Amino acid sequence: MSKKGLLIVVSGPAGSGKGTVNAKLIERDEFVYSVSATTRAPRPGEVDGVNYYYITHDEFERRITLGDMLEYTSYCGNYYGTPKTEAERVLKSGKNLILEIEVDGAMQVKKKYPDALLIMLLPPSYKVQEERLRGRGTETEEKIRERLEQTKNEVVKAPEYDYIVYNYDGESEKCAEDILAIVRAEQLASARNPKAAINYFAN
Ligand code: 5GP
């Protein structure tokens, strides 16, 4: 019996640690990370095709026109989007696809794919988030302020998500385990297995 993978959206404000947590999940063979396209410049250490596909503004708009973005948004002055063809290929293969995207894109996914699983990852508090961002030291004060400001628009959308998971300091392993537990439960949900009885007698 071939089964489609789960489409999993993980959103969280800057400093929520979603990159670290998702990296732990994709160590498992059942998860694949969706590499987004973006028009923002790579940060030090980021690799094209691994962290993002770094493309120009014109190329991004061309792909929108071609319908090759499963969702996309403009965030802090840059385009970000999920390449559709690749996403569909992964889901068909039966693997779970993780989309690490912001709230606007998440709401588009929720509308287009009602069976997507939406998870919001949060730092323990706004105060801790601010400390994390300043401690990271990779961004200018202006960028940090911009990201903190953006947080307000993001966290208010928490009720639209299926689950809220907290990432406490030094506990990203536990956080990944929480997400794994959610995924396990969702895979077994009766609503996601409408043919359970038929299959039971047929096999
Ligand atoms: P960053 O510039 O810090 O890598 O990402 C900024 C924000 O854009 C983050 O919240 C990140 O999750 C989000 N993001 C990354 N890729 C995508 C995407 O493909 N679509 C959308 N909607 N958001 C994305």
Side-chain angles (χ1 to χ4, degrees):
M1 183 175 50
S2 77
K3 215 164 181 298
K4 271 186 86 182
L6 283 182
L7 179 56
I8 305 169
V9 170
V10 179
S11 303
S16 59
K18 52 191 186 302
T20 311
V21 170
N22 287 335
K24 289 187 192 298
L25 291 172
I26 57 161
E27 280 171 10
R28 295 169 169 270
D29 197 41
E30 70 203 90
F31 294 104
V32 173
Y33 182 81
S34 163
V35 180
S36 296
T38 185
T39 58
R40 90 146 158 75
R43 293 198 190 114
E46 288 186 345
V47 177
D48 187 32
V50 176
N51 303 91
Y52 284 104
Y53 295 108
Y54 301 95
I55 61 175
T56 63
H57 200 85
D58 284 355
E59 175 62 11
F60 201 105
E61 292 192 334
R62 195 181 71 87
R63 294 203 196 168
I64 296 172
T65 314
L66 288 175
D68 189 36
M69 288 295 167
L70 189 149
E71 60 72 39
Y72 70 93
T73 196
S74 175
Y75 178 94
C76 295
N78 282 300
Y79 274 132
Y80 293 81
T82 304
K84 190 174 172 181
T85 317
E86 175 61 8
E88 289 179 344
R89 188 191 63 74
V90 171
L91 292 171
K92 251 189 226 152
S93 79
K95 301 218 174 186
N96 303 316
L97 185 69
I98 298 182
L99 269 52
E100 190 181 308
I101 63 176
E102 52 66 66
V103 291
D104 178 37
M107 294 306 105
Q108 294 173 42
V109 173
K110 183 172 167 156
K111 217 167 163 187
K112 282 194 217 162
Y113 302 84
D115 57 355
L117 174 60
L118 271 65
I119 298 173
M120 181 170 278
L121 200 60
L122 289 179
S125 66
Y126 184 71
K127 195 167 158 271
V128 172
Q129 183 197 358
E130 196 171 351
E131 285 163 12
R132 285 185 189 172
L133 286 187
R134 295 197 192 286
R136 192 150 89 174
T138 51
E139 275 153 310
T140 60
E141 179 60 26
E142 191 198 341
K143 275 275 169 217
I144 292 174
R145 289 232 180 92
E146 196 178 11
R147 283 176 191 263
L148 285 170
E149 193 53 38
Q150 189 71 30
T151 295
K152 292 172 191 156
N153 307 325
E154 292 171 332
V155 181
V156 291
K157 285 284 195 299
E160 301 279 345
Y161 283 70
D162 299 303
Y163 294 89
I164 312 218
V165 176
Y166 291 94
N167 190 8
Y168 296 95
D169 282 343
E171 295 195 17
S172 51
E173 192 68 52
K174 165 157 187 312
C175 188
E177 278 169 19
D178 284 348
I179 295 180
L180 207 52
I182 291 167
V183 171
R184 290 279 172 274
E186 286 290 330
Q187 281 169 327
L188 298 173
S190 55
R192 290 190 190 274
N193 295 280
K195 292 188 180 154
I198 294 168
N199 290 336
Y200 183 75
F201 291 108
N203 292 315

Coordinates of all heavy atoms in Angstrom, one line a residue, residues 88-144:
E88 N 6.1 18.0 -4.7 CA 5.2 17.0 -5.1 C 5.9 15.6 -5.3 O 5.3 14.6 -4.9 CB 4.4 17.4 -6.3 CG 3.4 18.5 -5.8 CD 2.5 19.1 -6.9 OE1 2.8 18.8 -8.1 OE2 1.5 19.7 -6.6
R89 N 7.1 15.7 -5.8 CA 7.8 14.5 -6.1 C 8.1 13.8 -4.7 O 7.9 12.6 -4.6 CB 9.2 14.8 -6.8 CG 9.9 13.6 -7.3 CD 11.3 13.9 -7.7 NE 12.2 14.5 -6.7 CZ 12.7 13.8 -5.7 NH1 12.5 12.5 -5.6 NH2 13.5 14.4 -4.8
V90 N 8.6 14.5 -3.7 CA 8.9 14.0 -2.4 C 7.7 13.4 -1.8 O 7.7 12.2 -1.3 CB 9.6 15.1 -1.5 CG1 9.7 14.5 -0.1 CG2 10.9 15.5 -2.1
L91 N 6.6 14.1 -1.8 CA 5.4 13.6 -1.1 C 4.9 12.3 -1.8 O 4.5 11.4 -1.1 CB 4.3 14.7 -1.2 CG 4.6 15.9 -0.3 CD1 3.5 17.0 -0.6 CD2 4.6 15.5 1.2
K92 N 5.0 12.2 -3.1 CA 4.6 11.0 -3.8 C 5.4 9.8 -3.4 O 5.0 8.7 -3.4 CB 4.7 11.3 -5.3 CG 3.3 11.3 -6.0 CD 3.4 11.4 -7.5 CE 2.5 12.4 -8.0 NZ 2.9 13.0 -9.3
S93 N 6.7 10.1 -3.1 CA 7.6 9.0 -2.8 C 7.3 8.4 -1.4 O 7.9 7.4 -1.0 CB 9.1 9.5 -2.8 OG 9.3 10.3 -1.6
G94 N 6.4 9.1 -0.6 CA 6.0 8.6 0.7 C 6.8 9.2 1.8 O 6.5 8.9 3.0
K95 N 7.7 10.1 1.5 CA 8.5 10.7 2.6 C 7.7 12.0 3.1 O 7.0 12.6 2.3 CB 9.9 11.1 2.1 CG 10.6 9.9 1.6 CD 12.1 9.9 2.0 CE 12.7 8.6 1.6 NZ 14.0 8.4 2.0
N96 N 8.0 12.3 4.3 CA 7.4 13.6 4.9 C 8.3 14.8 4.5 O 9.5 14.8 4.7 CB 7.3 13.4 6.4 CG 6.6 12.2 6.9 OD1 5.5 11.9 6.3 ND2 7.1 11.5 7.8
L97 N 7.6 15.8 4.0 CA 8.3 17.0 3.6 C 8.2 18.1 4.6 O 7.1 18.5 5.0 CB 7.8 17.4 2.2 CG 8.5 18.6 1.6 CD1 9.9 18.1 1.1 CD2 7.7 19.1 0.4
I98 N 9.3 18.7 5.0 CA 9.3 19.8 6.0 C 9.5 21.1 5.3 O 10.5 21.3 4.6 CB 10.4 19.6 7.0 CG1 10.2 18.3 7.8 CG2 10.5 20.8 8.0 CD1 11.1 18.0 8.9
L99 N 8.5 22.0 5.4 CA 8.6 23.3 4.8 C 8.9 24.3 6.0 O 8.0 24.4 6.9 CB 7.3 23.7 4.2 CG 7.0 23.5 2.7 CD1 7.3 22.0 2.4 CD2 5.6 23.9 2.4
E100 N 10.1 24.8 6.0 CA 10.4 25.8 7.0 C 10.1 27.2 6.5 O 10.9 27.8 5.9 CB 11.9 25.6 7.4 CG 12.4 26.4 8.6 CD 13.9 26.2 8.8 OE1 14.4 25.1 8.8 OE2 14.6 27.2 8.9
I101 N 8.9 27.6 6.7 CA 8.4 28.8 6.1 C 7.7 29.8 7.1 O 7.3 29.3 8.1 CB 7.5 28.5 4.9 CG1 6.2 27.8 5.3 CG2 8.2 27.7 3.8 CD1 5.2 27.6 4.2
E102 N 7.5 31.0 6.7 CA 6.9 32.0 7.6 C 5.3 31.9 7.5 O 4.8 31.1 6.7 CB 7.4 33.4 7.4 CG 7.5 33.9 6.0 CD 6.1 34.1 5.5 OE1 5.4 35.0 6.0 OE2 5.7 33.4 4.5
V103 N 4.7 32.7 8.3 CA 3.2 32.5 8.5 C 2.4 32.8 7.2 O 1.4 32.1 7.0 CB 2.6 33.4 9.6 CG1 3.1 32.8 11.0 CG2 3.0 34.8 9.5
D104 N 2.7 33.8 6.4 CA 2.0 34.1 5.2 C 1.9 32.9 4.3 O 0.9 32.4 3.8 CB 2.5 35.3 4.6 CG 1.8 35.7 3.3 OD1 0.6 35.5 3.3 OD2 2.4 36.1 2.3
G105 N 3.1 32.3 4.1 CA 3.2 31.1 3.2 C 2.5 29.9 3.9 O 1.8 29.1 3.2
A106 N 2.6 29.8 5.2 CA 1.9 28.7 5.9 C 0.4 28.8 5.7 O -0.3 27.8 5.5 CB 2.2 28.8 7.4
M107 N -0.2 30.0 5.7 CA -1.6 30.2 5.5 C -2.0 29.8 4.1 O -3.1 29.2 3.8 CB -2.1 31.6 5.9 CG -1.9 32.0 7.3 SD -2.7 30.8 8.5 CE -1.4 30.0 9.2
Q108 N -1.1 30.1 3.1 CA -1.4 29.6 1.7 C -1.4 28.1 1.6 O -2.3 27.5 1.0 CB -0.3 30.2 0.8 CG -0.3 31.7 0.6 CD 0.9 32.1 -0.2 OE1 1.3 31.5 -1.2 NE2 1.6 33.2 0.3
V109 N -0.5 27.5 2.3 CA -0.4 26.0 2.3 C -1.7 25.4 2.9 O -2.3 24.5 2.4 CB 0.8 25.5 3.1 CG1 0.8 24.0 3.2 CG2 2.1 25.9 2.3
K110 N -2.1 26.0 4.1 CA -3.3 25.5 4.8 C -4.5 25.6 3.9 O -5.4 24.7 3.9 CB -3.5 26.4 6.0 CG -4.6 26.0 6.9 CD -4.7 26.7 8.2 CE -6.0 26.5 8.9 NZ -5.9 26.7 10.3
K111 N -4.6 26.6 3.1 CA -5.8 26.8 2.2 C -5.7 25.8 1.0 O -6.7 25.1 0.7 CB -5.7 28.2 1.6 CG -7.1 28.8 1.5 CD -6.9 30.3 1.2 CE -8.1 30.9 0.7 NZ -7.9 32.3 0.3
K112 N -4.5 25.6 0.4 CA -4.4 24.8 -0.7 C -4.3 23.3 -0.4 O -4.7 22.5 -1.2 CB -3.1 25.1 -1.5 CG -3.3 26.4 -2.3 CD -2.1 26.5 -3.3 CE -1.6 27.9 -3.5 NZ -0.3 28.1 -4.0
Y113 N -3.7 23.0 0.8 CA -3.6 21.6 1.2 C -4.1 21.4 2.6 O -3.4 21.5 3.6 CB -2.1 21.2 1.2 CG -1.4 21.4 -0.2 CD1 -0.9 22.6 -0.6 CD2 -1.2 20.3 -1.0 CE1 -0.2 22.8 -1.8 CE2 -0.6 20.4 -2.3 CZ -0.1 21.7 -2.6 OH 0.5 21.8 -3.8
P114 N -5.4 21.2 2.7 CA -6.1 21.2 4.0 C -5.5 20.1 4.9 O -5.7 20.2 6.2 CB -7.5 21.0 3.7 CG -7.7 21.3 2.3 CD -6.4 21.1 1.6
D115 N -4.9 19.1 4.4 CA -4.4 18.0 5.2 C -2.9 18.2 5.6 O -2.3 17.4 6.3 CB -4.6 16.6 4.6 CG -3.9 16.5 3.2 OD1 -3.4 17.6 2.8 OD2 -3.9 15.4 2.7
A116 N -2.4 19.4 5.3 CA -1.0 19.7 5.8 C -1.0 19.9 7.3 O -2.0 20.2 7.9 CB -0.6 21.0 5.1
L117 N 0.1 19.6 7.9 CA 0.3 19.6 9.3 C 1.1 20.9 9.7 O 2.2 21.0 9.2 CB 1.0 18.4 9.8 CG 1.4 18.2 11.3 CD1 0.2 18.3 12.2 CD2 2.2 16.9 11.5
L118 N 0.4 21.8 10.4 CA 1.1 23.1 10.7 C 1.6 23.1 12.1 O 0.8 23.0 13.1 CB 0.1 24.2 10.5 CG 0.1 24.8 9.0 CD1 -0.4 23.8 8.0 CD2 -0.8 26.1 9.0
I119 N 2.9 23.4 12.3 CA 3.5 23.4 13.6 C 4.2 24.8 13.8 O 4.9 25.2 12.9 CB 4.5 22.3 13.8 CG1 3.8 20.9 13.7 CG2 5.3 22.4 15.1 CD1 4.8 19.7 13.7
M120 N 3.9 25.4 14.9 CA 4.6 26.7 15.2 C 5.6 26.4 16.3 O 5.2 25.9 17.4 CB 3.6 27.8 15.6 CG 4.4 29.1 15.9 SD 3.4 30.6 16.1 CE 3.2 31.0 14.4
L121 N 6.8 26.8 16.0 CA 7.9 26.6 17.0 C 8.1 28.0 17.7 O 8.3 29.0 17.0 CB 9.1 26.2 16.2 CG 10.2 25.5 17.0 CD1 9.7 24.3 17.6 CD2 11.3 25.2 16.0
L122 N 8.2 28.0 19.0 CA 8.4 29.3 19.7 C 9.5 29.2 20.7 O 9.7 28.2 21.4 CB 7.1 29.7 20.5 CG 5.9 30.1 19.7 CD1 4.7 30.4 20.6 CD2 6.2 31.3 18.8
P123 N 10.3 30.3 20.9 CA 11.2 30.4 22.0 C 10.3 30.4 23.3 O 9.1 30.7 23.2 CB 11.9 31.7 21.8 CG 11.6 32.1 20.4 CD 10.3 31.5 20.0
P124 N 10.9 30.2 24.4 CA 10.0 30.2 25.6 C 9.3 31.6 25.9 O 8.2 31.6 26.4 CB 11.0 30.0 26.8 CG 12.3 29.5 26.2 CD 12.3 29.8 24.7
S125 N 9.9 32.7 25.4 CA 9.3 34.0 25.6 C 9.9 35.0 24.6 O 11.0 34.7 24.0 CB 9.5 34.5 27.0 OG 10.9 34.8 27.2
Y126 N 9.3 36.1 24.5 CA 9.8 37.2 23.6 C 11.2 37.7 24.1 O 12.1 37.9 23.3 CB 8.8 38.3 23.6 CG 9.1 39.5 22.7 CD1 9.0 39.3 21.3 CD2 9.5 40.7 23.2 CE1 9.4 40.4 20.5 CE2 9.8 41.8 22.4 CZ 9.7 41.6 21.0 OH 10.1 42.6 20.2
K127 N 11.3 37.7 25.4 CA 12.5 38.2 26.1 C 13.7 37.2 25.7 O 14.8 37.7 25.3 CB 12.3 38.2 27.6 CG 13.4 38.9 28.3 CD 13.0 39.2 29.8 CE 14.2 39.5 30.6 NZ 14.8 38.3 31.2
V128 N 13.5 35.9 25.8 CA 14.5 35.0 25.4 C 14.8 35.1 23.9 O 16.0 35.0 23.5 CB 14.1 33.5 25.8 CG1 15.0 32.5 25.2 CG2 13.9 33.4 27.3
Q129 N 13.8 35.3 23.1 CA 14.0 35.4 21.7 C 15.0 36.6 21.4 O 15.9 36.4 20.6 CB 12.7 35.7 21.0 CG 12.8 35.8 19.4 CD 11.6 36.4 18.8 OE1 10.7 36.8 19.4 NE2 11.7 36.6 17.5
E130 N 14.7 37.7 22.0 CA 15.6 38.9 21.8 C 17.0 38.6 22.2 O 18.0 38.9 21.5 CB 15.0 40.1 22.6 CG 15.6 41.4 22.2 CD 14.8 42.6 22.9 OE1 13.8 42.4 23.5 OE2 15.4 43.7 22.7
E131 N 17.2 37.9 23.4 CA 18.5 37.6 23.8 C 19.2 36.7 22.8 O 20.4 36.9 22.5 CB 18.5 36.8 25.1 CG 18.2 37.7 26.3 CD 17.7 36.9 27.6 OE1 17.8 35.7 27.6 OE2 17.2 37.6 28.5
R132 N 18.5 35.7 22.3 CA 19.1 34.8 21.3 C 19.5 35.6 20.0 O 20.6 35.3 19.5 CB 18.1 33.7 20.9 CG 17.9 32.7 21.9 CD 16.9 31.6 21.4 NE 16.6 30.7 22.5 CZ 15.7 29.7 22.4 NH1 15.0 29.5 21.2 NH2 15.4 28.9 23.4
L133 N 18.7 36.5 19.5 CA 19.0 37.2 18.3 C 20.2 38.1 18.5 O 21.1 38.1 17.6 CB 17.8 38.1 17.9 CG 16.6 37.4 17.3 CD1 15.6 38.4 16.7 CD2 17.1 36.4 16.1
R134 N 20.3 38.7 19.6 CA 21.5 39.6 19.9 C 22.8 38.7 20.1 O 23.8 39.0 19.6 CB 21.3 40.5 21.1 CG 20.2 41.5 20.8 CD 20.2 42.6 21.8 NE 18.9 43.3 21.7 CZ 18.6 44.1 20.7 NH1 19.4 44.3 19.7 NH2 17.4 44.7 20.6
G135 N 22.6 37.6 20.7 CA 23.7 36.7 21.0 C 24.3 36.0 19.7 O 25.4 35.7 19.7
R136 N 23.4 35.9 18.7 CA 23.8 35.3 17.5 C 24.9 36.1 16.7 O 25.8 35.5 16.1 CB 22.5 35.1 16.6 CG 22.6 34.3 15.4 CD 21.2 33.7 15.1 NE 20.4 34.5 14.2 CZ 19.3 34.2 13.7 NH1 18.8 33.0 14.0 NH2 18.6 34.9 13.0
G137 N 24.8 37.4 16.8 CA 25.8 38.3 16.3 C 26.0 38.2 14.8 O 27.0 38.6 14.3
T138 N 25.0 37.7 14.0 CA 25.2 37.6 12.6 C 24.5 38.7 11.8 O 24.7 38.9 10.6 CB 24.6 36.2 12.0 OG1 23.3 36.1 12.5 CG2 25.5 35.0 12.4
E139 N 23.7 39.5 12.5 CA 22.9 40.5 11.8 C 23.1 41.9 12.5 O 23.5 42.0 13.6 CB 21.5 40.1 11.9 CG 21.1 39.2 10.8 CD 19.9 38.3 11.1 OE1 19.9 37.7 12.2 OE2 19.0 38.3 10.3
T140 N 22.9 42.9 11.7 CA 23.0 44.3 12.1 C 21.8 44.6 13.1 O 20.8 43.9 13.1 CB 22.9 45.3 11.0 OG1 21.6 45.1 10.4 CG2 24.0 45.1 9.9
E141 N 22.0 45.6 13.9 CA 21.0 46.0 14.9 C 19.6 46.3 14.1 O 18.6 45.9 14.6 CB 21.5 47.3 15.6 CG 20.5 47.8 16.6 CD 20.1 46.8 17.7 OE1 20.9 45.9 18.1 OE2 19.0 47.0 18.3
E142 N 19.8 46.9 12.9 CA 18.6 47.2 12.2 C 17.8 46.0 11.8 O 16.6 45.9 11.9 CB 19.0 48.0 10.9 CG 17.8 48.7 10.2 CD 18.2 49.1 8.8 OE1 19.4 49.2 8.5 OE2 17.3 49.2 8.0
K143 N 18.6 45.0 11.3 CA 17.9 43.7 10.9 C 17.3 43.0 12.1 O 16.2 42.4 12.0 CB 19.0 42.8 10.3 CG 19.3 43.0 8.8 CD 18.3 42.2 8.0 CE 18.4 42.7 6.5 NZ 17.1 42.8 5.8
I144 N 18.0 43.1 13.2 CA 17.4 42.5 14.5 C 16.1 43.1 14.8 O 15.1 42.4 15.1 CB 18.4 42.5 15.6 CG1 19.7 41.7 15.4 CG2 17.8 42.1 17.0 CD1 20.8 41.8 16.4

